[in-house]
Amino acid sequence: MDNKIVDVAKKAGVSAATVSRVLNDSSLVSEKTKQKVLKTIEEMDYHPNAAAKHLRSQRTMTIGIIVPDIIVSYFSEIIKGVENAAYARKYKVIICDSDNEMEKEMEYLGLLSNRTVDGMILVTPLVSDDVIEEYAQKGYALGVIGRAVENESILSCKTNNVEFSEMAVRHLIEQGHKQIAYIGGYSDSMENYERMEGYLKALKDNRIPFKPGLIDSGYFEEAGGYAAAIRLFDRQEPFTAVYSANDEMALGVYRACRERGIRIPEELSVVGVDNNRITQYLLPPLSTVEQPKYEMGVCLAEKLIDQLNDQSESGQTKYVIDARLIIRDSSNYSRKRT
Amino acid sequence: MDNKIVDVAKKAGVSAATVSRVLNDSSLVSEKTKQKVLKTIEEMDYHPNAAAKHLRSQRTMTIGIIVPDIIVSYFSEIIKGVENAAYARKYKVIICDSDNEMEKEMEYLGLLSNRTVDGMILVTPLVSDDVIEEYAQKGYALGVIGRAVENESILSCKTNNVEFSEMAVRHLIEQGHKQIAYIGGYSDSMENYERMEGYLKALKDNRIPFKPGLIDSGYFEEAGGYAAAIRLFDRQEPFTAVYSANDEMALGVYRACRERGIRIPEELSVVGVDNNRITQYLLPPLSTVEQPKYEMGVCLAEKLIDQLNDQSESGQTKYVIDARLIIRDSSNYSRKRT
DNA sequence: TTGGCTATTGAAATCGATTTCAGTTGTTGC
DNA sequence: GCAACAACTGAAATCGATTTCAATAGCCAA
């Protein structure tokens, strides 16, 4: 149906090998032949078949990216970074939206096994470290964003969770808060663990006693944050501020406050994480931690593709980018009393 | 490096053809042989090479989707619909973020020519109808969302722009508004044209004179909406309501109002289009038109894949989904005077 | 004029699966 | 016991590009 390389070869009066050489501008072709072939290619509107090229070259120039939900801007911004970096290197990106289902993630990981993709980027998916480890062991190219994996051969990019969490909670303490709740994500995720650690560190450094009753979990989602806030409100333990491990859950906190008639920031200060686009439009605008999402996507895509082409000069595989606190009105209200 | 089909065949003591038949569960294999082969495949952890399959079968089980900016939730929700529908049919989705550059769109369209993808979905990209037409003529499978294309062989899915725009503007009129501005998108886009038409129809039906000074354009983006609002404010022509052809531009209107100290909805009512997730969190929440974004993505992906498999029973190519007006506080303020 | 070299070119093998077509085995009917 | 047929199976062609390896042509020096 389409023109094949031999068709071009025949029309141009040369062999398929020569046409191929022209396509991959090899230096082994005379200028005269090259021009003749290029003209013929133009005339016939010939486009080399991708599948044939992939089979022969053993590479598909494609990477995959697995995210739990593409609609959440935290993920779509990372994807954009990955896409842009890949495009610049002539790579394609297959989008894998797992809908938060582990089964779907596993199936998408299978794209590595059958060589549909040359490499895969995982953005905090549900699959266990063991699974990731296993794929790496088999020699597949993997990268991870927002999650730490021990294995030295696995690329990863994350932010300084402990430090910025400590900073965020310290900020709340400086505003006069002494009872600060923490709403975490998946309790077994590295992100959650580290953010909790920063929270605890800030409390300890300021000699504020830790109260287990002020900890709850919202699984990094709006609905989870809402439910956690409601549970916290219904407990005996009073609090005047909340550090939410991401912005989505903070949205849930806002909703719970609206329902309960609790004013932000007068009665409750809130700080989130991610600086999702939506946070600046909230009332009040949400204080949050700017995560360089786009940059993390670019970083990991570049390193992964370099690795695929044996161009990873440094051999470095672990990247940590500093995040910074953005103070907005949701936490900008000094508390004068105890 | 990986195991090949002949390796499996050798180990199982059969031919490659038989293994292939087992893989594609052909009825031509005896149950006994089939079990033996399946066991061997399991043991060897064999995965059929995708590129070889693609080359032989002349299909990649992949479609592409071109959007101007994946971060805008209008697009990411469509993508999610496409991805989910594709996944259910074992198709992969390549994400093509054009960054609003026509050149990038053209390059991504090239994935059709070299058969990297079996079909392509365009979500209001910049390329002209002629270009789309040309690709269709060449026999490539195309689908278009939020845009109308004449060619009967091109799938398209859109909403009833004229009707819902008329409805939105009528709603403003019913609130007592008589000077209603319109901020459009790309002036030569079908969406913009139809929404403008609905706007004009509502005015006409209510005997409200059309004033060219109340029309401006914001290119469907926040910054554009902001600029358009500023220009409108600076003109002589007073107005008490704005119909913005999408939510992104309405965000720009909000920003312009904040800067100028204009209160919404007391001094200016605003209605947008898309029902982007962000709109419900705004202050005041933005009245908007719910576009079934996810559903449009699902619809077009399904039809496109059906078409690729000759399963389009009806032969229908044009789909129009009804959108509905969501009234929130940004326009919920009755104007008593003239 | 011939040998030796370089620059170009093409034939054929290759990537790894699918599918056709021919062949083998086994079964049934008469 | 043999023909006819069904049920499986395998050898080889095929998809369309790349790449190796050998061959040819052209050129220069001796």
Side-chain angles (χ1 to χ4, degrees):
Chain A
M1 169 181 175
D2 295 317
N3 283 316
K4 304 188 271 190
I5 199 170
V6 290
D7 300 328
V8 176
K10 209 165 289 174
K11 184 127 183 274
V14 297
S15 73
T18 299
V19 177
S20 173
R21 280 190 270 258
V22 170
L23 287 172
N24 302 285
D25 51 35
S26 147
S27 60
L28 296 170
V29 190
S30 72
E31 189 58 27
K32 189 162 146 254
T33 314
K34 185 173 168 182
Q35 290 309 324
K36 183 173 60 179
V37 171
L38 284 177
K39 185 153 160 281
T40 311
I41 287 174
E42 177 76 19
E43 281 172 14
M44 302 181 76
D45 191 30
Y46 165 74
H47 298 271
N49 181 284
K53 181 177 290 200
H54 295 166
L55 174 57
R56 177 63 224 221
S57 65
Q58 302 284 56
R59 42 186 16 228
T60 61
M61 302 297 281
T62 304
I63 60 177
I65 178 168
I66 303 180
V67 299
D69 184 359
I70 185 185
I71 295 175
V72 174
S73 75
Y74 174 73
F75 298 112
S76 57
E77 292 194 33
I78 288 175
I79 294 170
K80 182 147 184 146
V82 169
E83 198 272 354
N84 283 7
Y87 178 81
R89 286 161 179 70
K90 303 204 176 304
Y91 273 72
K92 271 78 66 191
V93 178
I94 286 182
I95 173 82
C96 311
D97 184 316
S98 79
D99 271 325
N100 268 308
E101 290 170 25
M102 187 149 96
E103 194 189 332
K104 227 177 145 181
E105 290 184 3
M106 289 300 291
E107 202 160 331
Y108 271 129
L109 272 175
L111 296 183
L112 282 168
S113 311
N114 66 23
R115 305 284 172 183
T116 298
V117 298
D118 296 337
M120 187 68 90
I121 294 175
L122 318 184
V123 190
T124 63
L126 303 172
V127 294
S128 69
D129 280 15
D130 290 347
V131 171
I132 297 177
E133 196 82 35
E134 193 184 316
Y135 272 88
Q137 216 94 54
K138 287 183 187 166
Y140 297 116
L142 289 177
V144 173
I145 293 180
R147 171 170 175 165
V149 183
E150 299 260 336
N151 191 314
E152 269 307 316
S153 73
I154 299 176
L155 284 173
S156 77
C157 183
K158 59 192 279 286
T159 43
N160 54 340
N161 289 297
V162 179
E163 289 75 13
F164 75 63
S165 294
E166 191 189 334
M167 204 181 311
V169 176
R170 195 168 56 225
H171 157 66
L172 287 170
I173 293 171
E174 283 165 359
Q175 300 289 310
H177 297 281
K178 291 194 160 41
Q179 294 120 343
I180 302 171
Y182 172 71
I183 300 181
Y186 293 106
S187 56
D188 54 351
S189 75
M190 171 60 84
E191 279 165 300
N192 183 64
Y193 179 82
E194 292 184 344
R195 289 176 195 177
M196 174 95 172
E197 190 181 330
Y199 164 82
L200 293 173
K201 190 154 183 296
L203 292 189
K204 193 174 170 197
D205 288 353
N206 290 277
R207 298 164 190 285
I208 295 177
F210 164 63
K211 296 182 184 152
L214 290 183
I215 304 294
D216 210 307
S217 175
Y219 308 102
F220 288 130
E221 292 177 347
E222 198 269 357
Y226 169 81
I230 292 294
R231 282 193 299 270
L232 285 167
F233 290 150
D234 288 346
R235 283 189 201 143
Q236 312 298 347
E237 204 65 57
F239 58 99
T240 60
V242 181
Y243 173 49
S244 167
N246 81 346
D247 289 342
E248 285 289 322
M249 297 190 297
L251 288 177
V253 173
Y254 268 51
R255 178 154 63 96
C257 286
R258 211 158 41 239
E259 268 187 30
R260 293 286 174 107
I262 296 170
R263 286 169 302 152
I264 303 173
E266 292 85 347
E267 299 175 78
L268 186 71
S269 284
V270 183
V271 174
V273 173
D274 282 351
N275 192 23
N276 278 359
R277 181 162 177 232
I278 209 167
T279 58
Q280 58 184 298
Y281 293 102
L282 296 177
L283 189 91
L286 177 65
S287 294
T288 186
V289 175
E290 157 69 9
Q291 297 246 57
K293 303 168 281 292
Y294 179 88
E295 289 75 11
M296 289 199 288
V298 169
C299 168
L300 205 55
E302 286 181 348
K303 306 304 175 195
L304 184 66
I305 292 173
D306 280 353
Q307 186 175 306
L308 290 173
N309 297 295
D310 294 321
Q311 311 216 321
S312 47
E313 48 233 24
S314 66
Q316 183 183 353
T317 58
K318 309 298 177 197
Y319 295 85
V320 178
I321 304 185
D322 281 354
R324 69 193 166 79
L325 181 64
I326 298 176
I327 296 171
R328 299 203 183 99
D329 290 352
S330 71
S331 67
N332 204 357
Y333 183 83
S334 284
R335 199 153 294 265
K336 303 302 175 191
R337 58 166 293 272
T338 8
Chain B
M1 170 183 175
D2 295 318
N3 284 316
K4 305 188 269 187
I5 199 170
V6 290
D7 299 329
V8 177
K10 210 165 288 175
K11 184 126 182 277
V14 297
S15 73
T18 299
V19 177
S20 173
R21 280 191 270 259
V22 171
L23 287 171
N24 301 284
D25 51 34
S26 147
S27 58
L28 295 171
V29 190
S30 73
E31 189 58 28
K32 189 161 146 256
T33 314
K34 184 174 169 183
Q35 289 310 324
K36 185 173 59 181
V37 171
L38 283 176
K39 186 154 160 281
T40 310
I41 287 174
E42 177 77 18
E43 282 172 12
M44 302 180 75
D45 190 30
Y46 165 73
H47 299 271
N49 182 284
K53 181 178 291 200
H54 296 165
L55 174 58
R56 178 61 226 222
S57 65
Q58 302 284 57
R59 43 188 12 231
T60 61
M61 301 298 282
T62 303
I63 60 176
I65 177 168
I66 303 180
V67 298
D69 185 0
I70 185 185
I71 294 175
V72 174
S73 75
Y74 174 74
F75 299 112
S76 57
E77 292 194 32
I78 288 176
I79 294 171
K80 182 148 183 144
V82 168
E83 197 274 353
N84 283 6
Y87 179 80
R89 287 162 178 70
K90 303 203 176 306
Y91 273 72
K92 272 78 66 190
V93 178
I94 287 183
I95 174 81
C96 311
D97 185 315
S98 79
D99 272 324
N100 268 309
E101 290 170 25
M102 188 150 96
E103 194 189 333
K104 228 177 145 180
E105 289 185 4
M106 289 300 291
E107 202 161 333
Y108 270 129
L109 272 176
L111 296 183
L112 281 168
S113 311
N114 66 22
R115 305 285 172 183
T116 297
V117 298
D118 296 338
M120 188 68 91
I121 294 175
L122 317 185
V123 189
T124 62
L126 303 173
V127 294
S128 69
D129 280 14
D130 290 347
V131 171
I132 297 177
E133 195 82 36
E134 192 184 317
Y135 272 88
Q137 216 93 55
K138 287 183 186 167
Y140 297 116
L142 288 177
V144 172
I145 292 180
R147 171 169 175 165
V149 183
E150 298 261 337
N151 192 313
E152 268 306 315
S153 73
I154 298 176
L155 284 173
S156 77
C157 183
K158 59 193 278 287
T159 44
N160 53 340
N161 289 297
V162 179
E163 289 76 13
F164 75 62
S165 293
E166 190 190 337
M167 204 182 309
V169 176
R170 195 167 56 225
H171 156 67
L172 287 170
I173 293 171
E174 282 164 1
Q175 300 288 311
H177 296 282
K178 290 194 161 41
Q179 294 120 342
I180 303 171
Y182 173 70
I183 300 181
Y186 293 106
S187 55
D188 54 351
S189 76
M190 171 60 85
E191 280 164 298
N192 183 63
Y193 179 81
E194 293 185 343
R195 289 177 195 176
M196 175 95 173
E197 188 181 332
Y199 164 82
L200 293 174
K201 190 154 183 296
L203 291 189
K204 194 174 170 197
D205 287 354
N206 290 277
R207 298 163 189 285
I208 296 178
F210 163 63
K211 296 182 185 151
L214 291 182
I215 304 295
D216 210 306
S217 174
Y219 309 101
F220 288 130
E221 292 177 348
E222 198 268 358
Y226 169 81
I230 292 294
R231 282 193 300 270
L232 285 166
F233 291 151
D234 287 346
R235 282 187 203 147
Q236 312 298 349
E237 204 64 56
F239 58 99
T240 61
V242 180
Y243 174 49
S244 166
N246 81 347
D247 288 344
E248 284 289 322
M249 296 190 297
L251 287 178
V253 173
Y254 269 52
R255 178 154 62 96
C257 286
R258 210 158 42 239
E259 268 188 30
R260 294 286 174 109
I262 296 170
R263 285 168 303 152
I264 303 173
E266 293 84 348
E267 299 176 77
L268 185 71
S269 284
V270 183
V271 174
V273 173
D274 282 351
N275 192 24
N276 278 359
R277 182 165 175 230
I278 210 168
T279 58
Q280 59 183 298
Y281 292 102
L282 295 176
L283 188 91
L286 177 65
S287 295
T288 186
V289 175
E290 157 68 10
Q291 297 246 56
K293 304 168 280 291
Y294 179 88
E295 289 76 9
M296 290 199 287
V298 169
C299 168
L300 205 56
E302 286 181 348
K303 305 306 177 195
L304 184 66
I305 293 173
D306 281 353
Q307 185 176 307
L308 290 172
N309 297 294
D310 294 320
Q311 310 217 322
S312 48
E313 47 234 24
S314 65
Q316 183 183 353
T317 58
K318 308 297 177 199
Y319 295 84
V320 177
I321 304 184
D322 281 354
R324 70 193 166 79
L325 181 64
I326 297 176
I327 297 171
R328 299 205 184 98
D329 290 352
S330 71
S331 66
N332 204 359
Y333 182 82
S334 282
R335 199 154 294 264
K336 302 302 176 192
R337 57 167 293 272
T338 4

